[in-house]
Amino acid sequence: MSIEWTINHADRLVVAVCKGTVSRLEIEDYLDKVVVAGGLPYRKLFNTTDATLALDDADMMALGARIRAYDGISEMGPLAIVAATPESRNQARLFAALGRADRPIMIFGTMQAAERWLDEQAVADGKSTRPTRLRSLLLAL
């Protein structure tokens, strides 16, 4: 699978790392697994730095619709997308626009910036004051 992910319930954090070519079906599978694991309200980091997202306009529309549906069934946690190339940043912006949900979403060029922002979100939501353990979660992948 092109998306490796882990969930830390204690820190209310989901970290996903994409590698190689990633399809819509793989993203949908990841999203479904996060839902089943109870991670929708958690902070999420979605790293596309080492991946190519093979998504056309129809794929983006379908993903946006899925996110809007999830937003109707559960609280949605903050999402940090790491996108290092102009193409991946454009896809991330389109995803953010099509998958509008009642949650903060930011796009970053580096992991460090995404980590800092997610740490701020943890403190802001009042549910966790512990710093994220992104490094250890990433090493586990």
Side-chain angles (χ1 to χ4, degrees), residues 20-127:
T21 301
V22 178
S23 71
R24 182 184 100 201
L25 293 176
E26 290 169 313
I27 294 172
E28 288 175 340
D29 183 57
Y30 154 75
L31 292 170
D32 289 345
K33 288 177 179 173
V34 169
V35 169
V36 169
L40 272 182
Y42 296 178
R43 293 169 296 136
K44 290 166 208 68
L45 183 133
F46 195 80
N47 184 351
T48 67
T49 303
D50 295 322
T52 300
L53 302 179
L55 305 170
D56 60 22
D57 289 344
D59 293 327
M60 296 301 288
M61 294 291 287
L63 289 171
R66 183 176 287 251
I67 295 301
R68 288 190 309 275
Y70 289 151
D71 189 40
I73 63 170
S74 173
E75 173 188 351
M76 301 276 289
L79 172 63
I81 301 173
V82 181
T85 66
E87 180 182 4
S88 63
R89 280 191 295 277
N90 286 338
Q91 285 179 315
R93 280 192 288 273
L94 182 58
F95 173 80
L98 294 172
R100 282 194 201 109
D102 185 19
R103 61 134 172 229
I105 183 170
M106 293 289 289
I107 301 162
F108 299 92
T110 67
M111 283 289 296
Q112 294 79 13
E115 290 173 21
R116 279 191 304 273
W117 183 76
L118 283 174
D119 281 343
E120 292 168 6
Q121 301 307 303
V123 173
D125 82 3
K127 294 180 181 162

